[in-house]
Amino acid sequence: MNIHGLRLFYQVAKIGSFTKAAEIMRISQPAVSSQIKKFEQEIGIALFKQQGRRAVLTEFGESLATKAENLFSLENQIESYIDDYRKGEAGTIRIVATYLPANFLIPKWAATFKRENEKVNLVISTTNTKDAFEQLQHYKADIAIFGGGISERPEDIDWDELFEDELWFVVAPNHPYANQSVTLEEMVKEPFVMREEGSSMREHLFSLCHAHLLNPPKVALQFDGLSETISSVMAGYGANFISSLVAREYVERGQLARVYVDAVHIKHKIAICTRKEEKQSLLIKKFIETCKLNHI
């Protein structure tokens, strides 16, 4: 179908005059009439009929004009969307994050970013470390925001580290080790409430045991969620190895207590990860900059 012919027809139908439509489109009135006649011949259906000295729309012409209006309205929206995207003002950013940044950092970053970029759609999903990197590597996410430690960094991923966070051993306030100093060997003999395999905290703790030639602790309870893990320890069962970002408020309120493990001072990194050697869109650059300007 001749889109130019459809566009000419729509202008005439909208304005109701061949002459005025020709003036707006800056072509002669005979040229408009000729091209619309050609368009009618192409589709094999009359668009106008004579009514006295005036040409009015046929029933089909009225219906086609409505559909053409929808089409060209959508065309304008697409043009605006492309222009906004080029300027970094619209589009979608797919973010995958591990539990720590997803719960304690991204809400603030996303709110700050959205206040200045209302047209940008942020799609945020939460998962464990292993799955976060897989989503990034397989183009299911544009950015991975990682909080934790990992034994081997994927070679095809760029790391932009924001800051480091302390890791704490915590128990319920009435636990015998609450606010006490113990050895790592004593600590890992306690039952632990932990996240699923693939979580960074679990990897941290198991690596720590391996480095000190100790057996890893018994995983007495396992949860997929961070809040469930904390709630279980608060309820009085087991210990947990957790980010201070998560635990600090609970410790200050007396709902959890720290255990000071001799000679164990571990920090993990909060990082924004992207695919290596991939040129980032203006949108993604703007979001990363927001994170950097608003981290703790």
Side-chain angles (χ1 to χ4, degrees):
M1 183 180 65
N2 184 345
I3 295 297
H4 178 66
L6 179 64
R7 195 182 304 277
L8 286 174
F9 156 73
Y10 171 65
Q11 286 294 333
V12 174
K14 181 173 69 172
I15 296 167
S17 166
F18 279 78
T19 302
K20 291 181 180 178
E23 291 174 358
I24 290 173
M25 302 193 76
R26 297 183 178 180
I27 57 177
S28 68
Q29 189 272 331
V32 171
S33 299
S34 173
Q35 291 186 53
I36 289 179
K37 180 64 68 176
K38 184 178 180 181
F39 181 61
E40 285 181 314
Q41 291 171 352
E42 178 188 331
I43 63 176
I45 306 173
L47 299 172
F48 294 94
K49 60 184 177 182
Q50 285 299 127
Q51 194 173 79
R53 299 182 62 183
R54 295 176 59 244
V56 298
L57 290 168
T58 62
E59 181 180 349
F60 174 78
E62 289 179 357
S63 177
L64 183 62
T66 299
K67 294 185 183 299
E69 181 178 22
N70 294 335
L71 173 65
F72 294 126
S73 175
L74 179 59
E75 179 187 48
N76 290 334
Q77 290 179 37
I78 291 172
E79 288 177 348
S80 296
Y81 175 77
I82 291 171
D83 190 48
D84 286 343
Y85 192 90
R86 187 184 296 117
K87 295 175 181 176
E89 296 175 358
T92 297
I93 303 174
R94 299 166 301 163
I95 303 162
V96 63
T98 55
Y99 286 88
L100 172 64
N103 285 275
F104 294 89
L105 299 171
I106 292 179
K108 175 185 175 182
W109 295 345
T112 301
F113 182 81
K114 285 290 287 186
R115 278 195 292 269
E116 299 175 1
N117 302 273
E118 293 183 4
K119 295 180 181 179
V120 179
N121 184 31
L122 299 180
V123 179
I124 304 167
S125 60
T126 307
T127 187
N128 61 39
T129 300
K130 181 175 179 291
D131 187 56
F133 288 129
E134 286 181 354
Q135 288 195 42
L136 184 62
Q137 289 167 319
H138 292 92
Y139 295 85
K140 295 179 180 179
D142 303 305
I143 300 171
I145 301 181
F146 168 76
I150 189 169
S151 54
E152 293 184 13
R153 296 183 180 184
E155 294 182 358
D156 54 348
I157 289 177
D158 273 333
W159 292 63
D160 195 346
E161 295 176 1
L162 299 182
F163 61 94
E164 292 183 326
D165 172 44
E166 275 192 301
L167 302 184
W168 291 353
F169 288 96
V170 294
V171 292
N174 60 354
H175 191 283
Y177 289 171
N179 301 308
Q180 301 299 309
S181 293
V182 301
T183 66
L184 180 61
E185 184 176 7
E186 290 174 314
M187 189 72 236
V188 298
K189 287 179 180 177
E190 292 294 303
F192 270 70
V193 182
M194 303 197 73
R195 291 265 316 287
E196 76 283 2
E197 290 186 23
S199 70
S200 63
M201 293 298 99
R202 187 165 175 151
E203 286 193 9
H204 260 311
L205 182 55
F206 281 39
S207 296
L208 181 63
C209 292
H210 179 74
H212 287 77
L213 303 178
L214 297 171
N215 291 325
K218 175 185 176 183
V219 181
L221 284 175
Q222 177 176 300
F223 294 99
D224 289 341
L226 186 61
S227 60
E228 299 96 320
T229 304
I230 295 170
S231 295
S232 183
V233 177
M234 287 169 55
Y237 183 75
N240 189 231
F241 190 52
I242 195 169
S243 161
S244 64
L245 280 177
V246 179
R248 190 181 305 278
E249 187 174 339
Y250 295 99
V251 170
E252 290 174 352
R253 292 201 301 254
Q255 295 172 293
L256 288 174
R258 288 188 65 182
V259 182
Y260 299 93
V261 178
D262 297 341
V264 174
H265 304 285
I266 297 179
K267 295 184 178 182
H268 70 170
K269 301 179 186 299
I270 307 296
I272 296 176
C273 304
T274 53
R275 287 179 290 274
K276 186 166 285 187
E277 298 179 0
E278 180 176 276
K279 184 178 180 180
Q280 302 299 330
S281 71
L282 183 55
L283 279 182
I284 292 174
K285 289 178 180 178
K286 287 173 69 174
F287 182 80
I288 291 174
E289 187 63 23
T290 297
C291 297
K292 289 181 176 180
L293 291 174
N294 292 276
H295 77 73
I296 306 181

